[in-house]
Amino acid sequence: MASSEQPRAQWLGRWGFLLAATGSAVGLGNVWKFPYMTGEYGGGAFVLVYLICILAVGVPVMMAEIAFGRRGQGSPVDAFRRMATGSGRSPAWSVLGWMSMLAGFMILSFYVVVAGWSFSYLWKTLSGGLSGGSVDELAAVFEANNANPWNLGFWSTLVTLVTMVIVGKGVQEGIEKSVRWMMPGLVLMLVVLIGFGALSGGFGEAFAFLFSFNTGSLSSAGMLAALGHAFFTLSLAAGAILTYGSYLPKTASIGRTTLGVALADTLVALMAGLAIFPVIFANGMDPAGGPGLIFMSLPVAFQAMPLGSLFGALFFIMLSMAALTSSISMVEATVSWLCDNKGFTRRSAAWSTGIVLWLISTAAMLSFNVGADWTLAGKTFFDWLDYLTSRWLMPLGGLGTIFVAGFLLNKNVMRDELGLGPRFYALWLLMARYVSPLGILVIFADVLGLYSVVFAQHWPYLLGVLLLMILVGERLSPRLRQALAPR
Ligand code: PHE
């Protein structure tokens, strides 16, 4: 048993957690990943499913995670174990904590490569490497930047180093300060880009692409991608939000904080879409251009606007900062676990994690040059890290979390910790027990090809299933508890 005599660190100001959690949530997921996935999966239908997943799955899961962190007072592994054993459940539920630590680590391994792109584009903008090129030439710049492993490796190594230095110093003060000016700055840059798009054409088409929700039916893969992205963009089931929650003062309201983070995160993603797609359409580029999408399209806009290199530099500074406030949150779980359980100091924990991370991220970086052919089932190592975390580890971890929170804990634990009024608590419970799990399960069933068997492709059935689940669940849950109880 770890003894934690020392009181755990807490966020400084009243806004500390809100800022830090927003810093973790808003990142490359919003500005880089959301637009290119929307492009790949055809626009509005993807956006709609994504928004539903944020509200119906993301928000309830985030509330549960923060509550686990604050009540469990530790890294995800310790928090899950304490929560479970505190209600007379098996300590084996800490497996959910292990899964989330693994997910955070795997995500960071490819995240530093993308953050490296952002850093290198900042450098290119400042040194004039992006000026005066045509659309094709700018695409070639992106390819060339990737083709040389020494160049790309330099940038991802730099990101790894900076991340570990910050984490080693202790995150509280640094994050709280930087998010406070970085977040408004990023939003301002997006406003500039949206304004440019609105004036220079392509805006109407972009708007229609993002918000005409009936653009044909979404594929199973697209639904899973939208679900996975809701977890990714809110930093869920990856140890980040839970560990940050463990530094949250008892007095803060979990419900309000969660809504604030989810709202800010969603707004930044939609703004990024509105900033990027006008450029894509006005220049006849392919919306399904893949991971390089923003790096190929935005420089085109910066080139055409007045003071473009200034705005470009500011934009890439903000994006790099946003990436860093996310990347540090991904290792926080591992570092906090090493400190609490293995006697590491913060600094030694950060450096040890950093070395392992550097090895894996270097392998991920090679996926863009010498390792481009090292594929399994058509996916590179980089693709696999992304695919396994977003599509499988995070949704399954979220499902587990919400199952523990909704069914396994003693009756009043979540009610006390969430501190909601009776109506809102009932709403949360309904979401956590039935709506969110049903959403996750339906999407998994669909991907496994079972959806049509189970639901005959008719959405109204789902309502019936939901009602049935509620009936059975509410009648059964005391028995379910007994069946799962330890001897
Ligand atoms: N939410 C971050 C983003 O959108 C990524 C992230 C995932 C951060 C998991 C922490 C944990 O960029």
Side-chain angles (χ1 to χ4, degrees):
M1 274 265 145
S3 65
S4 44
E5 262 82 53
Q6 280 178 330
R8 221 172 153 71
Q10 290 206 339
W11 299 108
L12 297 176
R14 196 167 138 243
W15 296 95
F17 175 82
L18 189 69
L19 286 170
T22 310
S24 169
V26 175
L28 296 168
N30 307 59
V31 182
W32 160 73
K33 202 172 185 194
F34 173 74
Y36 100 75
M37 290 183 92
T38 304
E40 205 157 290
Y41 292 107
F46 175 84
V47 177
L48 182 65
V49 178
Y50 156 82
L51 290 175
I52 295 175
C53 287
I54 293 274
L55 211 62
V57 183
V59 167
V61 171
M62 187 185 269
M63 290 173 68
E65 267 203 35
I66 300 175
F68 279 26
R70 185 163 75 178
R71 199 167 183 107
Q73 285 292 298
S75 71
V77 175
D78 298 321
F80 272 106
R81 197 196 56 241
R82 285 183 196 137
M83 292 303 282
T85 53
S87 287
R89 301 287 155 195
S90 160
W93 287 104
S94 63
V95 69
L96 290 168
W98 288 108
M99 271 170 66
S100 68
M101 246 162 70
L102 180 69
F105 201 84
M106 284 169 69
I107 294 170
L108 190 53
S109 307
F110 72 87
Y111 206 81
V112 294
V113 180
V114 184
W117 287 340
S118 177
F119 274 57
S120 71
Y121 266 67
L122 171 60
W123 173 248
K124 279 184 204 308
T125 316
L126 292 176
S127 63
L130 287 179
S131 51
S134 65
V135 172
D136 287 340
E137 278 163 356
L138 286 167
V141 168
F142 183 72
E143 309 286 332
N145 196 34
N146 284 340
N148 181 342
W150 295 104
N151 171 58
L152 200 58
F154 168 78
W155 293 108
S156 57
T157 303
L158 183 69
V159 177
T160 310
L161 265 173
V162 176
T163 302
M164 291 309 159
V165 168
I166 302 178
V167 171
K169 281 195 183 324
V171 290
Q172 275 89 347
E173 204 178 340
I175 301 186
E176 294 191 32
K177 284 212 182 102
S178 57
V179 176
R180 201 164 286 178
W181 62 267
M182 186 270 308
M183 203 60 66
L186 183 65
V187 168
L188 196 71
M189 285 305 113
L190 289 173
V191 170
V192 169
L193 279 166
I194 294 174
F196 173 79
L199 294 177
S200 61
F203 190 77
E205 211 178 328
F207 197 86
F209 180 72
L210 285 167
F211 299 114
S212 57
F213 292 142
N214 53 358
T215 44
S217 65
L218 191 59
S219 64
S220 313
M223 300 248 289
L224 185 63
L227 174 73
H229 188 63
F231 278 93
F232 184 90
T233 191
L234 293 177
S235 309
L236 299 177
I241 292 293
L242 192 152
T243 313
Y244 278 7
S246 73
Y247 314 127
L248 182 68
K250 284 281 176 216
T251 48
S253 149
I254 292 183
R256 240 176 284 149
T257 315
T258 301
L259 287 180
V261 176
L263 192 71
D265 187 76
T266 307
L267 284 179
V268 174
L270 295 178
M271 287 178 78
L274 282 177
I276 285 152
F277 284 108
V279 184
I280 308 263
F281 290 122
N283 291 286
M285 302 165 87
D286 179 12
L293 195 65
I294 69 161
F295 296 99
M296 301 191 193
S297 59
L298 288 183
V300 176
F302 290 130
Q303 228 166 63
M305 66 172 72
L307 296 179
S309 41
L310 176 68
F311 284 130
L314 286 174
F315 175 83
F316 285 115
I317 290 179
M318 300 299 164
L319 186 62
S320 305
M321 295 286 299
L324 282 175
T325 53
S326 299
S327 66
I328 51 190
S329 74
M330 290 173 209
V331 268
E332 188 57 23
T334 306
V335 167
S336 134
W337 181 79
L338 285 173
C339 294
D340 290 351
N341 297 289
K342 299 285 161 202
F344 281 61
T345 62
R346 260 200 94 83
R347 191 182 300 179
S348 59
W351 287 113
S352 330
T353 315
I355 291 171
V356 182
L357 182 81
W358 182 77
L359 290 173
I360 305 178
S361 67
T362 301
M365 177 276 291
L366 293 178
S367 293
F368 291 94
N369 35 66
V370 293
D373 303 331
W374 307 340
T375 57
L376 190 68
K379 286 186 170 54
T380 61
F381 184 57
F382 178 98
D383 298 336
W384 273 107
L385 287 171
D386 180 11
Y387 177 80
L388 285 177
T389 48
S390 285
R391 315 291 159 95
W392 298 96
L393 266 179
M394 294 206 273
L396 285 176
L399 189 63
T401 305
I402 214 139
F403 178 74
V404 172
F407 284 107
L408 288 191
L409 298 180
N410 285 344
K411 213 166 164 205
N412 290 326
V413 172
M414 286 306 282
R415 183 186 316 216
D416 292 350
E417 199 58 44
L418 290 175
L420 298 168
R423 287 226 186 95
F424 281 114
Y425 176 70
L427 181 64
W428 174 81
L429 200 62
L430 183 77
M431 304 290 280
R433 282 189 169 179
Y434 307 107
V435 180
S436 319
L438 182 66
I440 299 176
L441 289 173
V442 164
I443 292 182
F444 274 128
D446 189 28
V447 172
L448 298 175
L450 300 173
Y451 180 76
S452 51
V453 182
V454 185
F455 302 109
Q457 297 283 11
H458 293 307
W459 284 98
Y461 274 94
L462 286 179
L463 271 180
V465 174
L466 184 65
L467 283 176
L468 202 72
M469 277 174 70
I470 295 174
L471 269 171
V472 174
E474 292 310 297
R475 295 234 30 172
L476 213 69
S477 75
R479 259 180 264 166
L480 193 67
R481 282 161 193 252
Q482 265 182 2
L484 293 166
R487 311 249 143 159

